[in-house]
Each structure stands twice: as structure tokens, then as C-alpha cells.
Short mmCIF file of all heavy atoms in Angstrom, two decimals:
data_model
loop_
_atom_site.label_atom_id
_atom_site.label_comp_id
_atom_site.label_asym_id
_atom_site.label_seq_id
_atom_site.Cartn_x
_atom_site.Cartn_y
_atom_site.Cartn_z
N MET X 2 -0.71 4.99 -4.25
CA MET X 2 -0.55 3.80 -5.08
C MET X 2 -1.69 3.77 -6.09
O MET X 2 -2.81 4.11 -5.80
CB MET X 2 -0.59 2.57 -4.21
CG MET X 2 -0.35 1.32 -4.96
SD MET X 2 -0.03 -0.05 -3.87
CE MET X 2 -1.27 0.13 -2.66
N LYS X 3 -1.38 3.36 -7.31
CA LYS X 3 -2.38 3.34 -8.36
C LYS X 3 -2.16 2.12 -9.23
O LYS X 3 -1.24 1.37 -9.05
CB LYS X 3 -2.24 4.60 -9.21
CG LYS X 3 -2.47 5.86 -8.43
CD LYS X 3 -2.19 7.07 -9.27
CE LYS X 3 -2.39 8.30 -8.43
NZ LYS X 3 -1.24 9.08 -8.26
N ASN X 4 -3.00 1.95 -10.19
CA ASN X 4 -2.88 0.95 -11.25
C ASN X 4 -3.64 -0.34 -10.98
O ASN X 4 -3.78 -1.13 -11.88
CB ASN X 4 -1.42 0.59 -11.56
CG ASN X 4 -0.64 1.79 -12.03
OD1 ASN X 4 -1.22 2.73 -12.54
ND2 ASN X 4 0.66 1.75 -11.87
N GLU X 5 -4.10 -0.62 -9.79
CA GLU X 5 -4.87 -1.83 -9.53
C GLU X 5 -6.30 -1.40 -9.23
O GLU X 5 -6.55 -0.34 -8.70
CB GLU X 5 -4.29 -2.58 -8.34
CG GLU X 5 -2.83 -2.99 -8.52
CD GLU X 5 -2.64 -4.01 -9.62
OE1 GLU X 5 -3.57 -4.79 -9.89
OE2 GLU X 5 -1.57 -4.01 -10.22
N LYS X 6 -7.24 -2.27 -9.55
CA LYS X 6 -8.64 -1.92 -9.33
C LYS X 6 -9.24 -2.64 -8.15
O LYS X 6 -10.43 -2.55 -7.90
CB LYS X 6 -9.44 -2.20 -10.59
CG LYS X 6 -9.02 -1.29 -11.72
CD LYS X 6 -9.86 -1.47 -12.94
CE LYS X 6 -9.44 -0.42 -13.93
NZ LYS X 6 -9.69 -0.74 -15.27
N LYS X 7 -8.40 -3.38 -7.45
CA LYS X 7 -8.89 -4.10 -6.29
C LYS X 7 -7.82 -4.09 -5.21
O LYS X 7 -6.64 -3.85 -5.49
CB LYS X 7 -9.27 -5.52 -6.66
CG LYS X 7 -8.12 -6.31 -7.22
CD LYS X 7 -8.58 -7.67 -7.66
CE LYS X 7 -7.41 -8.46 -8.21
NZ LYS X 7 -7.79 -9.76 -8.70
N PRO X 8 -8.22 -4.38 -3.96
CA PRO X 8 -7.25 -4.36 -2.87
C PRO X 8 -6.38 -5.61 -2.85
O PRO X 8 -6.70 -6.63 -3.44
CB PRO X 8 -8.13 -4.28 -1.63
CG PRO X 8 -9.42 -4.89 -2.03
CD PRO X 8 -9.60 -4.59 -3.50
N TYR X 9 -5.27 -5.49 -2.14
CA TYR X 9 -4.38 -6.62 -1.86
C TYR X 9 -4.75 -7.16 -0.49
O TYR X 9 -4.83 -6.40 0.47
CB TYR X 9 -2.92 -6.16 -1.80
CG TYR X 9 -2.39 -5.59 -3.09
CD1 TYR X 9 -2.49 -4.23 -3.36
CD2 TYR X 9 -1.77 -6.41 -4.02
CE1 TYR X 9 -1.99 -3.69 -4.54
CE2 TYR X 9 -1.26 -5.88 -5.20
CZ TYR X 9 -1.37 -4.53 -5.45
OH TYR X 9 -0.88 -4.01 -6.62
N LEU X 10 -4.98 -8.45 -0.39
CA LEU X 10 -5.27 -9.08 0.89
C LEU X 10 -3.97 -9.69 1.40
O LEU X 10 -3.43 -10.62 0.80
CB LEU X 10 -6.35 -10.15 0.71
CG LEU X 10 -7.63 -9.66 0.04
CD1 LEU X 10 -8.59 -10.82 -0.16
CD2 LEU X 10 -8.28 -8.55 0.85
N LEU X 11 -3.46 -9.14 2.49
CA LEU X 11 -2.13 -9.54 2.98
C LEU X 11 -2.18 -9.96 4.44
O LEU X 11 -2.95 -9.39 5.23
CB LEU X 11 -1.15 -8.37 2.86
CG LEU X 11 -0.94 -7.77 1.48
CD1 LEU X 11 -0.03 -6.55 1.60
CD2 LEU X 11 -0.34 -8.78 0.54
N THR X 12 -1.35 -10.92 4.80
CA THR X 12 -1.08 -11.24 6.19
C THR X 12 0.37 -10.86 6.44
O THR X 12 1.27 -11.43 5.82
CB THR X 12 -1.31 -12.73 6.48
OG1 THR X 12 -2.67 -13.05 6.17
CG2 THR X 12 -1.04 -13.05 7.94
N LEU X 13 0.58 -9.88 7.31
CA LEU X 13 1.92 -9.35 7.55
C LEU X 13 2.36 -9.64 8.97
O LEU X 13 1.58 -9.51 9.91
CB LEU X 13 1.93 -7.84 7.31
CG LEU X 13 1.57 -7.38 5.89
CD1 LEU X 13 1.49 -5.86 5.84
CD2 LEU X 13 2.57 -7.91 4.89
N GLU X 14 3.62 -10.00 9.09
CA GLU X 14 4.22 -10.21 10.41
C GLU X 14 4.50 -8.84 11.05
O GLU X 14 4.48 -7.81 10.38
CB GLU X 14 5.55 -10.98 10.26
CG GLU X 14 5.41 -12.34 9.61
CD GLU X 14 4.65 -13.33 10.48
OE1 GLU X 14 4.67 -13.18 11.72
OE2 GLU X 14 4.05 -14.26 9.92
N ALA X 15 4.77 -8.84 12.35
CA ALA X 15 5.15 -7.61 13.03
C ALA X 15 6.37 -7.02 12.33
O ALA X 15 7.26 -7.76 11.89
CB ALA X 15 5.46 -7.90 14.49
N GLY X 16 6.40 -5.70 12.21
CA GLY X 16 7.54 -5.06 11.56
C GLY X 16 7.13 -3.74 10.95
O GLY X 16 6.02 -3.25 11.15
N GLU X 17 8.06 -3.17 10.17
CA GLU X 17 7.81 -1.89 9.52
C GLU X 17 7.69 -2.12 8.03
O GLU X 17 8.54 -2.79 7.43
CB GLU X 17 8.96 -0.94 9.83
CG GLU X 17 8.72 0.47 9.35
CD GLU X 17 9.78 1.43 9.88
OE1 GLU X 17 10.94 1.34 9.42
OE2 GLU X 17 9.45 2.22 10.76
N TYR X 18 6.66 -1.53 7.43
CA TYR X 18 6.39 -1.73 6.01
C TYR X 18 6.25 -0.38 5.31
O TYR X 18 5.74 0.57 5.89
CB TYR X 18 5.09 -2.54 5.82
CG TYR X 18 5.21 -3.93 6.38
CD1 TYR X 18 4.86 -4.18 7.70
CD2 TYR X 18 5.70 -4.98 5.61
CE1 TYR X 18 4.99 -5.46 8.25
CE2 TYR X 18 5.83 -6.25 6.14
CZ TYR X 18 5.47 -6.48 7.45
OH TYR X 18 5.61 -7.74 7.98
N TYR X 19 6.70 -0.34 4.05
CA TYR X 19 6.62 0.88 3.25
C TYR X 19 5.77 0.58 2.03
O TYR X 19 6.09 -0.33 1.26
CB TYR X 19 8.01 1.34 2.82
CG TYR X 19 8.90 1.63 4.00
CD1 TYR X 19 9.74 0.66 4.52
CD2 TYR X 19 8.87 2.88 4.61
CE1 TYR X 19 10.55 0.92 5.61
CE2 TYR X 19 9.67 3.16 5.70
CZ TYR X 19 10.50 2.16 6.20
OH TYR X 19 11.30 2.43 7.29
N PHE X 20 4.72 1.35 1.85
CA PHE X 20 3.80 1.11 0.74
C PHE X 20 4.01 2.13 -0.38
O PHE X 20 4.24 3.31 -0.14
CB PHE X 20 2.35 1.16 1.24
CG PHE X 20 2.04 0.01 2.14
CD1 PHE X 20 2.15 0.14 3.51
CD2 PHE X 20 1.70 -1.22 1.62
CE1 PHE X 20 1.90 -0.94 4.35
CE2 PHE X 20 1.45 -2.31 2.43
CZ PHE X 20 1.55 -2.16 3.80
N CYS X 21 3.90 1.63 -1.60
CA CYS X 21 4.14 2.42 -2.81
C CYS X 21 3.19 3.62 -2.89
O CYS X 21 1.97 3.44 -2.84
CB CYS X 21 3.96 1.53 -4.04
SG CYS X 21 4.07 2.41 -5.60
N PRO X 22 3.73 4.85 -3.06
CA PRO X 22 2.89 6.02 -3.17
C PRO X 22 2.64 6.45 -4.62
O PRO X 22 1.84 7.33 -4.89
CB PRO X 22 3.72 7.09 -2.46
CG PRO X 22 5.13 6.72 -2.82
CD PRO X 22 5.15 5.20 -2.89
N CYS X 23 3.35 5.84 -5.57
CA CYS X 23 3.35 6.39 -6.93
C CYS X 23 2.79 5.46 -8.00
O CYS X 23 2.55 5.89 -9.12
CB CYS X 23 4.78 6.77 -7.31
SG CYS X 23 5.90 5.35 -7.49
N GLY X 24 2.63 4.18 -7.67
CA GLY X 24 2.11 3.23 -8.65
C GLY X 24 3.16 2.65 -9.56
O GLY X 24 2.85 1.87 -10.47
N LYS X 25 4.43 3.00 -9.37
CA LYS X 25 5.50 2.53 -10.27
C LYS X 25 6.30 1.38 -9.72
O LYS X 25 7.17 0.84 -10.40
CB LYS X 25 6.44 3.69 -10.60
CG LYS X 25 5.75 4.80 -11.37
CD LYS X 25 6.70 5.93 -11.65
CE LYS X 25 5.97 7.02 -12.43
NZ LYS X 25 6.78 8.21 -12.61
N SER X 26 6.05 1.00 -8.47
CA SER X 26 6.83 -0.09 -7.87
C SER X 26 6.62 -1.40 -8.61
O SER X 26 5.51 -1.72 -9.05
CB SER X 26 6.40 -0.27 -6.40
OG SER X 26 7.02 -1.40 -5.84
N ASN X 27 7.68 -2.17 -8.73
CA ASN X 27 7.58 -3.51 -9.30
C ASN X 27 7.29 -4.54 -8.23
O ASN X 27 7.28 -5.74 -8.50
CB ASN X 27 8.87 -3.86 -10.04
CG ASN X 27 9.02 -3.07 -11.30
OD1 ASN X 27 8.07 -2.92 -12.07
ND2 ASN X 27 10.20 -2.51 -11.53
N ASN X 28 7.07 -4.07 -7.01
CA ASN X 28 6.78 -4.95 -5.88
C ASN X 28 5.53 -4.47 -5.14
O ASN X 28 5.49 -4.44 -3.92
CB ASN X 28 7.99 -4.99 -4.93
CG ASN X 28 7.84 -6.03 -3.86
OD1 ASN X 28 7.21 -7.06 -4.06
ND2 ASN X 28 8.40 -5.77 -2.69
N LYS X 29 4.51 -4.02 -5.88
CA LYS X 29 3.29 -3.50 -5.27
C LYS X 29 2.61 -4.54 -4.41
O LYS X 29 2.63 -5.71 -4.76
CB LYS X 29 2.32 -3.02 -6.36
CG LYS X 29 2.72 -1.72 -6.96
CD LYS X 29 1.70 -1.30 -7.97
CE LYS X 29 2.39 -1.19 -9.29
NZ LYS X 29 1.55 -0.98 -10.42
N PRO X 30 2.05 -4.16 -3.29
CA PRO X 30 1.82 -2.78 -2.88
C PRO X 30 2.99 -2.15 -2.14
O PRO X 30 2.89 -1.02 -1.66
CB PRO X 30 0.62 -2.91 -1.94
CG PRO X 30 0.82 -4.23 -1.28
CD PRO X 30 1.41 -5.11 -2.36
N PHE X 31 4.12 -2.83 -2.08
CA PHE X 31 5.25 -2.30 -1.32
C PHE X 31 6.11 -1.38 -2.18
O PHE X 31 6.18 -1.53 -3.40
CB PHE X 31 6.10 -3.46 -0.79
CG PHE X 31 5.32 -4.40 0.08
CD1 PHE X 31 4.93 -5.64 -0.40
CD2 PHE X 31 4.94 -4.04 1.36
CE1 PHE X 31 4.18 -6.50 0.38
CE2 PHE X 31 4.19 -4.90 2.15
CZ PHE X 31 3.81 -6.14 1.66
N CYS X 32 6.74 -0.47 -1.52
CA CYS X 32 7.65 0.48 -2.17
C CYS X 32 8.93 -0.23 -2.59
O CYS X 32 9.47 -1.04 -1.84
CB CYS X 32 7.98 1.60 -1.18
SG CYS X 32 9.21 2.77 -1.78
N ASP X 33 9.42 0.09 -3.80
CA ASP X 33 10.73 -0.42 -4.22
C ASP X 33 11.68 0.72 -4.56
O ASP X 33 12.73 0.52 -5.16
CB ASP X 33 10.59 -1.38 -5.40
CG ASP X 33 10.22 -0.69 -6.70
OD1 ASP X 33 9.93 0.53 -6.67
OD2 ASP X 33 10.21 -1.36 -7.75
N GLY X 34 11.29 1.94 -4.18
CA GLY X 34 12.14 3.10 -4.43
C GLY X 34 11.86 3.81 -5.74
O GLY X 34 12.49 4.82 -6.05
N SER X 35 10.90 3.33 -6.51
CA SER X 35 10.61 3.92 -7.83
C SER X 35 10.10 5.35 -7.74
O SER X 35 10.14 6.08 -8.73
CB SER X 35 9.59 3.06 -8.57
OG SER X 35 10.12 1.79 -8.86
N HIS X 36 9.62 5.76 -6.57
CA HIS X 36 9.08 7.12 -6.40
C HIS X 36 10.19 8.17 -6.37
O HIS X 36 9.89 9.36 -6.33
CB HIS X 36 8.29 7.20 -5.09
CG HIS X 36 9.16 7.00 -3.89
ND1 HIS X 36 9.49 5.75 -3.43
CD2 HIS X 36 9.80 7.90 -3.10
CE1 HIS X 36 10.30 5.89 -2.37
NE2 HIS X 36 10.50 7.17 -2.17
N ARG X 37 11.44 7.76 -6.42
CA ARG X 37 12.56 8.71 -6.29
C ARG X 37 12.49 9.85 -7.30
O ARG X 37 12.99 10.93 -7.03
CB ARG X 37 13.90 7.98 -6.43
CG ARG X 37 14.34 7.39 -5.12
CD ARG X 37 15.70 6.75 -5.23
NE ARG X 37 15.53 5.34 -4.90
CZ ARG X 37 15.87 4.33 -5.67
NH1 ARG X 37 16.43 4.54 -6.82
NH2 ARG X 37 15.65 3.11 -5.30
N MET X 38 11.89 9.61 -8.46
CA MET X 38 11.81 10.66 -9.48
C MET X 38 10.56 11.51 -9.31
O MET X 38 10.24 12.32 -10.17
CB MET X 38 11.81 10.02 -10.87
CG MET X 38 13.03 9.16 -11.13
SD MET X 38 14.59 10.05 -10.93
CE MET X 38 14.63 10.92 -12.48
N THR X 39 9.85 11.35 -8.18
CA THR X 39 8.64 12.13 -7.92
C THR X 39 8.82 12.89 -6.60
O THR X 39 9.86 12.78 -5.94
CB THR X 39 7.40 11.22 -7.79
OG1 THR X 39 7.45 10.53 -6.53
CG2 THR X 39 7.34 10.20 -8.92
N THR X 40 7.80 13.63 -6.22
CA THR X 40 7.83 14.32 -4.92
C THR X 40 7.11 13.51 -3.86
O THR X 40 6.95 13.96 -2.73
CB THR X 40 7.15 15.71 -5.03
OG1 THR X 40 5.81 15.53 -5.50
CG2 THR X 40 7.92 16.61 -5.99
N LEU X 41 6.68 12.31 -4.20
CA LEU X 41 5.92 11.47 -3.28
C LEU X 41 6.84 10.74 -2.32
O LEU X 41 8.01 10.49 -2.62
CB LEU X 41 5.09 10.46 -4.08
CG LEU X 41 4.10 11.06 -5.06
CD1 LEU X 41 3.49 9.97 -5.93
CD2 LEU X 41 3.02 11.82 -4.32
N THR X 42 6.30 10.37 -1.16
CA THR X 42 7.04 9.57 -0.20
C THR X 42 6.20 8.37 0.18
O THR X 42 4.97 8.44 0.22
CB THR X 42 7.36 10.37 1.08
OG1 THR X 42 6.16 10.88 1.63
CG2 THR X 42 8.32 11.51 0.78
N PRO X 43 6.84 7.22 0.44
CA PRO X 43 6.07 6.02 0.78
C PRO X 43 5.36 6.17 2.11
O PRO X 43 5.81 6.90 2.99
CB PRO X 43 7.13 4.92 0.84
CG PRO X 43 8.42 5.61 1.01
CD PRO X 43 8.28 6.98 0.42
N PHE X 44 4.24 5.47 2.24
CA PHE X 44 3.50 5.45 3.49
C PHE X 44 4.10 4.36 4.37
O PHE X 44 4.25 3.23 3.93
CB PHE X 44 2.02 5.16 3.23
CG PHE X 44 1.19 5.28 4.47
CD1 PHE X 44 0.60 6.48 4.82
CD2 PHE X 44 1.02 4.18 5.30
CE1 PHE X 44 -0.16 6.59 5.97
CE2 PHE X 44 0.27 4.29 6.46
CZ PHE X 44 -0.32 5.50 6.80
N THR X 45 4.44 4.71 5.59
CA THR X 45 5.04 3.77 6.53
C THR X 45 3.98 3.23 7.47
O THR X 45 3.17 3.97 8.00
CB THR X 45 6.14 4.46 7.36
OG1 THR X 45 7.08 5.06 6.48
CG2 THR X 45 6.85 3.46 8.26
N LEU X 46 4.01 1.92 7.66
CA LEU X 46 3.08 1.27 8.60
C LEU X 46 3.89 0.40 9.54
O LEU X 46 4.69 -0.42 9.10
CB LEU X 46 2.07 0.43 7.82
CG LEU X 46 1.01 -0.30 8.65
CD1 LEU X 46 0.08 0.70 9.32
CD2 LEU X 46 0.22 -1.25 7.77
N GLN X 47 3.67 0.59 10.84
CA GLN X 47 4.35 -0.22 11.86
C GLN X 47 3.33 -1.18 12.46
O GLN X 47 2.27 -0.76 12.91
CB GLN X 47 4.88 0.67 12.97
CG GLN X 47 6.06 1.52 12.57
CD GLN X 47 7.30 1.12 13.33
OE1 GLN X 47 7.27 1.06 14.52
NE2 GLN X 47 8.36 0.85 12.64
N LEU X 48 3.67 -2.45 12.46
CA LEU X 48 2.80 -3.45 13.06
C LEU X 48 3.51 -4.05 14.27
O LEU X 48 4.66 -4.48 14.17
CB LEU X 48 2.48 -4.55 12.06
CG LEU X 48 1.66 -4.15 10.84
CD1 LEU X 48 1.48 -5.35 9.91
CD2 LEU X 48 0.31 -3.60 11.25
N SER X 49 2.82 -4.10 15.39
CA SER X 49 3.42 -4.66 16.60
C SER X 49 3.13 -6.15 16.71
O SER X 49 3.71 -6.84 17.55
CB SER X 49 2.90 -3.93 17.84
OG SER X 49 1.49 -4.02 17.89
N GLU X 50 2.24 -6.64 15.86
CA GLU X 50 1.92 -8.06 15.86
C GLU X 50 1.45 -8.47 14.47
O GLU X 50 1.11 -7.62 13.64
CB GLU X 50 0.83 -8.37 16.88
CG GLU X 50 -0.45 -7.63 16.63
CD GLU X 50 -1.46 -7.80 17.76
OE1 GLU X 50 -1.05 -8.10 18.90
OE2 GLU X 50 -2.66 -7.64 17.49
N LYS X 51 1.42 -9.77 14.21
CA LYS X 51 0.95 -10.29 12.92
C LYS X 51 -0.48 -9.83 12.71
O LYS X 51 -1.30 -9.86 13.65
CB LYS X 51 1.02 -11.81 12.95
CG LYS X 51 0.66 -12.47 11.65
CD LYS X 51 0.85 -13.97 11.76
CE LYS X 51 0.55 -14.67 10.47
NZ LYS X 51 0.81 -16.13 10.57
N LYS X 52 -0.78 -9.41 11.47
CA LYS X 52 -2.11 -8.85 11.22
C LYS X 52 -2.52 -9.09 9.76
O LYS X 52 -1.68 -9.08 8.87
CB LYS X 52 -2.05 -7.35 11.48
CG LYS X 52 -3.36 -6.68 11.68
CD LYS X 52 -3.15 -5.28 12.23
CE LYS X 52 -4.46 -4.67 12.65
NZ LYS X 52 -4.30 -3.34 13.20
N GLN X 53 -3.81 -9.29 9.55
CA GLN X 53 -4.35 -9.38 8.20
C GLN X 53 -4.83 -7.99 7.80
O GLN X 53 -5.55 -7.34 8.56
CB GLN X 53 -5.51 -10.36 8.14
CG GLN X 53 -5.07 -11.80 8.21
CD GLN X 53 -6.20 -12.76 7.92
OE1 GLN X 53 -7.28 -12.62 8.47
NE2 GLN X 53 -5.94 -13.71 7.05
N LEU X 54 -4.43 -7.56 6.62
CA LEU X 54 -4.78 -6.22 6.15
C LEU X 54 -5.32 -6.27 4.74
O LEU X 54 -4.92 -7.11 3.94
CB LEU X 54 -3.56 -5.30 6.17
CG LEU X 54 -2.96 -4.99 7.53
CD1 LEU X 54 -1.63 -4.27 7.35
CD2 LEU X 54 -3.91 -4.14 8.36
N THR X 55 -6.20 -5.35 4.42
CA THR X 55 -6.68 -5.16 3.06
C THR X 55 -6.09 -3.84 2.58
O THR X 55 -6.52 -2.77 3.01
CB THR X 55 -8.22 -5.12 3.04
OG1 THR X 55 -8.71 -6.29 3.68
CG2 THR X 55 -8.75 -5.06 1.62
N ILE X 56 -5.08 -3.93 1.73
CA ILE X 56 -4.32 -2.76 1.30
C ILE X 56 -4.87 -2.22 -0.03
O ILE X 56 -5.07 -2.98 -0.98
CB ILE X 56 -2.84 -3.12 1.13
CG1 ILE X 56 -2.26 -3.63 2.46
CG2 ILE X 56 -2.03 -1.93 0.60
CD1 ILE X 56 -2.28 -2.64 3.59
N CYS X 57 -5.10 -0.93 -0.09
CA CYS X 57 -5.63 -0.27 -1.28
C CYS X 57 -4.70 -0.46 -2.47
O CYS X 57 -3.49 -0.25 -2.38
CB CYS X 57 -5.80 1.23 -1.00
SG CYS X 57 -6.34 2.18 -2.43
N GLY X 58 -5.28 -0.84 -3.58
CA GLY X 58 -4.51 -0.97 -4.82
C GLY X 58 -4.93 0.04 -5.88
O GLY X 58 -4.33 0.11 -6.94
N CYS X 59 -5.95 0.82 -5.59
CA CYS X 59 -6.48 1.74 -6.60
C CYS X 59 -6.03 3.18 -6.42
O CYS X 59 -6.16 3.99 -7.34
CB CYS X 59 -8.00 1.68 -6.62
SG CYS X 59 -8.80 2.51 -5.23
N GLY X 60 -5.53 3.51 -5.24
CA GLY X 60 -5.07 4.88 -4.98
C GLY X 60 -6.17 5.84 -4.58
O GLY X 60 -5.91 7.02 -4.39
N LYS X 61 -7.39 5.37 -4.42
CA LYS X 61 -8.51 6.27 -4.10
C LYS X 61 -8.90 6.25 -2.63
O LYS X 61 -9.71 7.08 -2.20
CB LYS X 61 -9.74 5.88 -4.92
CG LYS X 61 -9.56 6.03 -6.41
CD LYS X 61 -10.80 5.56 -7.13
CE LYS X 61 -10.62 5.57 -8.62
NZ LYS X 61 -11.77 4.94 -9.31
N SER X 62 -8.37 5.33 -1.84
CA SER X 62 -8.77 5.22 -0.44
C SER X 62 -8.43 6.48 0.34
O SER X 62 -7.36 7.06 0.18
CB SER X 62 -8.07 4.03 0.21
OG SER X 62 -8.39 4.00 1.59
N LYS X 63 -9.34 6.91 1.20
CA LYS X 63 -9.07 8.04 2.08
C LYS X 63 -8.45 7.55 3.38
O LYS X 63 -8.20 8.33 4.29
CB LYS X 63 -10.37 8.80 2.35
CG LYS X 63 -10.88 9.53 1.11
CD LYS X 63 -12.12 10.32 1.39
CE LYS X 63 -12.55 11.20 0.24
NZ LYS X 63 -12.77 10.49 -1.01
N ASN X 64 -8.25 6.24 3.49
CA ASN X 64 -7.65 5.64 4.67
C ASN X 64 -6.39 4.86 4.27
O ASN X 64 -6.11 3.81 4.82
CB ASN X 64 -8.67 4.71 5.34
CG ASN X 64 -8.22 4.23 6.69
OD1 ASN X 64 -7.52 4.94 7.41
ND2 ASN X 64 -8.59 3.02 7.05
N PHE X 65 -5.64 5.39 3.31
CA PHE X 65 -4.45 4.72 2.80
C PHE X 65 -3.46 4.44 3.92
O PHE X 65 -3.28 5.28 4.76
CB PHE X 65 -3.79 5.59 1.70
CG PHE X 65 -2.81 4.83 0.88
CD1 PHE X 65 -3.22 4.05 -0.17
CD2 PHE X 65 -1.46 4.89 1.19
CE1 PHE X 65 -2.31 3.32 -0.93
CE2 PHE X 65 -0.54 4.17 0.43
CZ PHE X 65 -0.97 3.39 -0.62
N PRO X 66 -2.83 3.25 3.99
CA PRO X 66 -2.75 2.27 2.92
C PRO X 66 -3.89 1.26 2.92
O PRO X 66 -3.88 0.36 2.08
CB PRO X 66 -1.42 1.58 3.20
CG PRO X 66 -1.33 1.58 4.69
CD PRO X 66 -1.93 2.91 5.10
N CYS X 67 -4.85 1.38 3.83
CA CYS X 67 -5.93 0.40 3.89
C CYS X 67 -7.04 0.74 2.91
O CYS X 67 -7.34 1.91 2.67
CB CYS X 67 -6.48 0.33 5.31
SG CYS X 67 -5.25 -0.25 6.50
N CYS X 68 -7.66 -0.26 2.35
CA CYS X 68 -8.80 -0.11 1.45
C CYS X 68 -10.01 0.39 2.24
O CYS X 68 -10.26 -0.09 3.35
CB CYS X 68 -9.11 -1.47 0.82
SG CYS X 68 -10.65 -1.53 -0.11
N ASP X 69 -10.73 1.36 1.68
CA ASP X 69 -11.96 1.83 2.32
C ASP X 69 -13.17 1.59 1.42
O ASP X 69 -14.25 2.14 1.66
CB ASP X 69 -11.85 3.30 2.71
CG ASP X 69 -11.79 4.24 1.50
OD1 ASP X 69 -11.78 3.75 0.34
OD2 ASP X 69 -11.77 5.47 1.72
N GLY X 70 -13.00 0.80 0.38
CA GLY X 70 -14.12 0.48 -0.52
C GLY X 70 -14.27 1.46 -1.67
O GLY X 70 -15.15 1.29 -2.51
N ALA X 71 -13.40 2.47 -1.76
CA ALA X 71 -13.51 3.49 -2.81
C ALA X 71 -13.33 2.90 -4.20
O ALA X 71 -13.80 3.47 -5.18
CB ALA X 71 -12.50 4.61 -2.57
N HIS X 72 -12.65 1.74 -4.30
CA HIS X 72 -12.45 1.11 -5.62
C HIS X 72 -13.76 0.63 -6.21
O HIS X 72 -13.83 0.34 -7.40
CB HIS X 72 -11.48 -0.06 -5.51
CG HIS X 72 -11.98 -1.18 -4.64
ND1 HIS X 72 -11.86 -1.18 -3.28
CD2 HIS X 72 -12.64 -2.30 -4.97
CE1 HIS X 72 -12.40 -2.28 -2.80
NE2 HIS X 72 -12.90 -2.97 -3.79
N LEU X 73 -14.82 0.55 -5.40
CA LEU X 73 -16.12 0.10 -5.89
C LEU X 73 -16.93 1.23 -6.51
O LEU X 73 -17.95 0.98 -7.14
CB LEU X 73 -16.92 -0.52 -4.73
CG LEU X 73 -16.26 -1.75 -4.09
CD1 LEU X 73 -17.02 -2.16 -2.84
CD2 LEU X 73 -16.20 -2.89 -5.09
N GLU X 74 -16.50 2.46 -6.32
CA GLU X 74 -17.27 3.61 -6.83
C GLU X 74 -17.12 3.76 -8.32
O GLU X 74 -16.12 3.45 -8.90
CB GLU X 74 -16.80 4.90 -6.14
CG GLU X 74 -17.08 4.86 -4.66
CD GLU X 74 -16.46 6.03 -3.90
OE1 GLU X 74 -15.84 6.92 -4.53
OE2 GLU X 74 -16.59 6.04 -2.67
S1 FES C 118 -8.56 -0.82 -3.52
FE1 FES C 118 -8.51 1.31 -3.21
S2 FES C 118 -10.19 1.70 -1.93
FE2 FES C 118 -10.23 -0.45 -2.23
#
């Protein structure tokens, strides 16, 4: 995921989530299928319970989809 310079702070219910791998989604940070014209695949995250997450918006995190502070570099 690219195009944002800061993370998304989200509270997500239990379930399966797909995060944008290409930066083209109109529903960032979630995948909307825009990556179809690329070789990228969305990152899948399964949550067994409600959780607060800090999701990377810059595409530089080494712990994607979670922010690792790389946007500060
Ligand atoms: S937003 Fe990408 S590392 Fe924080």
C-alpha cells in the first residue's frame, strides 16, 4: 500500500480483512480489487476478536499491514 504518509488507526471487529497492496484502492487501506492489473495480491488478516490496529499507509513497513514507524524516516 502506498500514497499515504501516516498510518490508519482502525478498530476492527472479528473477521477477515484484505488490505490494499498497490495503492490504487478507492477504499484504502482496504483492497477494492484495483490491483487486478498488477502482479500484487492483497494482504489477508484474520482477527478472532475485536482489535485496535495501526495500519501502514506509506508502504514502507516491514511488518505490513501494521505500521512499524518507517513512515517517520
Ligand atoms: S505508515 Fe507505513 S510504517 Fe507507518
